[in-house]
Amino acid sequence: MPGIRSPSDYSEEPKRHPALKINAKEPFNAEPRRQDLVSSYITPTEFFYKRNHGPIPVVDDIERYCVSVNGLINKPKDLFMKDIMNLPKYTVTATLQCAGNRRTAMSKTRTVRGVGWDVSALGNAIWGGAKLADVLELVGIPKLTSTTPTGGKHVEFVSIDKCKEEKGGPYKASIPLSVATNPEADVLLAYEMNGETLNRDHGYPLRVVVPGVIGARSVKWLDSINIDSQVCQGFFMQKDYKMFPPTVNWDNIDWSTRRPQNDFPVQSAICSLEDVNVGRNGKIAIKGYAVSGGGRGIERVDISIDGGKTWMEASRYQKPGVKYISDEEKSDKWAWVLFEAEADINSDTEIIAKAVDTAANVQPEKVEDVWNLRGILNTSWHRVHVQVRHSSM
């Protein structure tokens, strides 16, 4: 494609923060430490998880870079950066979460396939760009359209990124046209992240941001947009990121029996503590995040310090100093909430967090109940252990 290329090796990778926990080097996949993740409501770009399937694309000439919009439409068009930046600019605060977040814990029950992630394969950023609904109007698709006159029902995003899963072809994914053309869905073609130009790791020069949906649909390094009659037939829509029951294994799997995953279920994790912690008896701070998909807010975060026998409610917040009320207009509906609680710990303790969203969805108790062979959507109760060492003084 003019102006941008996908390198054949990893010799042109960008620099990354040394504090990231690297889960895979080539392609580069990494997440921040737990405490770094929840140190602020807006995740600093350098601490935002990195999820890649190949070498990071390189922009050689931004003036020549363009996105082609084609498929089942009457007016195919090439859009240059100036065309997209001439549209009204919107900022959307949204949490992106990898579907494999907390996979490592799921793998301890039974082995799963995929990059091992702790609890930090997500981040909350302020994305800036044009609404996809406005972009699609440039090619003759009105807002709130579910089907084009020529039968288009899905919007496929194709990346410059080449990956082995596509046999060297581009990464791609799709969303329904009804979502893409709905301004309230806040789907962006983003060129900014946290008030600055996107960096290479996060999709420079242009990426899709689909709020409330697993991160795999927010395609980076956008090459083309295709209006199609069917869901994207790419690997990551058809042979991955689908939720199977625990009875399905690699011998009996039939990928066609499940739909591609979009919305993320309700999720929470404790980030002020590691899986196992050794300390003295006394007060302990319990801090973490909670988030749900589809724009659903967080109604409650429950904390237990006795293995789930009794519970107390944590305080929740988004912006510092602003009271968080789920579903209120001043709350960021696509973003996580951070939570805090304090407890007196006097003996060895299992601390648990579970969240409830505004639709009263609650995290499942046991990881065994949601185990699946690809290790996605581990939203089971998050558990950490504190071992108390009594002072001899």
Side-chain angles (χ1 to χ4, degrees), residues 183-382:
E184 296 295 309
D186 289 331
V187 181
L188 293 183
L189 295 193
Y191 43 81
E192 285 184 2
M193 179 180 183
N194 294 339
E196 298 180 343
T197 301
L198 279 176
N199 71 17
R200 285 180 58 208
D201 261 327
H202 295 293
Y204 176 77
L206 195 67
R207 69 169 298 162
V208 184
V209 174
V210 188
V213 165
I214 64 169
R217 312 307 177 216
S218 289
V219 174
K220 296 181 283 187
W221 312 293
L222 192 59
D223 176 71
S224 62
I225 297 171
N226 183 43
I227 311 303
D228 206 337
S229 60
Q230 61 181 352
V231 170
C232 169
Q233 295 300 297
F235 178 90
F236 295 99
M237 292 289 288
Q238 298 301 326
K239 297 287 183 75
D240 205 352
Y241 300 126
K242 293 182 176 183
M243 188 63 168
F244 285 89
T247 51
V248 172
N249 58 46
W250 292 105
D251 295 324
N252 64 17
I253 190 168
D254 180 355
W255 289 99
S256 68
T257 61
R258 291 290 181 271
R259 53 177 284 281
Q261 185 67 34
N262 282 315
D263 279 15
F264 212 100
V266 64
Q267 171 78 289
S268 72
I270 297 165
C271 295
S272 55
L273 298 163
E274 299 300 320
D275 286 343
V276 179
N277 308 267
V278 178
R280 308 236 168 162
N281 60 324
K283 289 198 182 302
I284 194 165
I286 304 162
K287 300 179 180 180
Y289 64 79
V291 65
S292 193
R296 294 177 291 277
I298 298 297
E299 191 61 30
R300 210 173 73 232
V301 179
D302 299 328
I303 303 294
S304 174
I305 59 169
D306 55 13
K309 295 187 186 75
T310 62
W311 300 88
M312 60 180 172
E313 193 171 339
S315 62
R316 295 159 294 139
Y317 63 95
Q318 285 186 329
K319 307 172 196 77
V322 179
K323 183 177 173 66
Y324 172 77
I325 301 172
S326 57
D327 285 355
E328 199 166 85
E329 200 168 316
K330 64 184 177 184
S331 298
D332 294 326
K333 72 174 184 175
W334 303 115
W336 66 9
V337 303
L338 301 181
F339 67 81
E340 288 185 8
E342 193 175 72
D344 275 313
I345 304 296
N346 298 307
S347 59
D348 291 0
T349 302
E350 181 183 57
I351 302 175
I352 301 173
K354 66 177 171 72
V356 182
D357 72 13
T358 50
N361 298 308
V362 64
Q363 291 174 251
E365 178 179 351
K366 296 174 184 172
V367 66
E368 291 84 355
D369 295 339
V370 291
W371 185 93
N372 59 92
L373 73 177
R374 270 291 280 120
I376 66 167
L377 308 186
N378 179 9
T379 56
S380 59
W381 293 1
H382 189 227

Side-chain angles (χ1 to χ4, degrees), residues 91-135:
T91 56
V92 175
T93 303
T95 299
L96 294 186
Q97 180 173 199
C98 179
N101 192 28
R102 300 181 57 200
R103 179 180 282 132
T104 296
M106 185 176 277
S107 197
K108 289 174 182 173
T109 300
R110 277 161 61 198
T111 303
V112 299
R113 287 187 193 171
V115 175
W117 296 100
D118 186 39
V119 304
S120 302
L122 80 170
N124 189 48
I126 302 170
W127 307 97
K131 285 201 177 181
L132 181 57
D134 290 340
V135 173

Side-chain angles (χ1 to χ4, degrees), residues 1-6 12 57-67 79-82 160 200 204-206 222:
M1 179 186 185
I4 188 168
R5 58 187 167 84
S6 182
E12 297 179 83
V58 176
V59 176
D60 293 317
D61 186 353
I62 192 63
E63 298 297 322
R64 294 175 64 215
Y65 168 78
C66 66
V67 173
L79 298 175
F80 292 83
M81 284 303 295
K82 66 178 186 300
I160 287 129
R200 285 180 58 208
Y204 176 77
L206 195 67
L222 192 59

Side-chain angles (χ1 to χ4, degrees), residues 2-35:
I4 188 168
R5 58 187 167 84
S6 182
S8 59
D9 59 29
Y10 293 91
S11 62
E12 297 179 83
E13 293 289 280
K15 289 184 177 175
R16 281 98 178 197
H17 198 285
L20 290 173
K21 292 164 56 180
I22 299 172
N23 299 327
K25 281 191 174 179
E26 294 181 355
F28 189 81
N29 289 277
E31 63 188 303
R33 296 173 298 197
R34 294 182 182 188
Q35 295 205 11

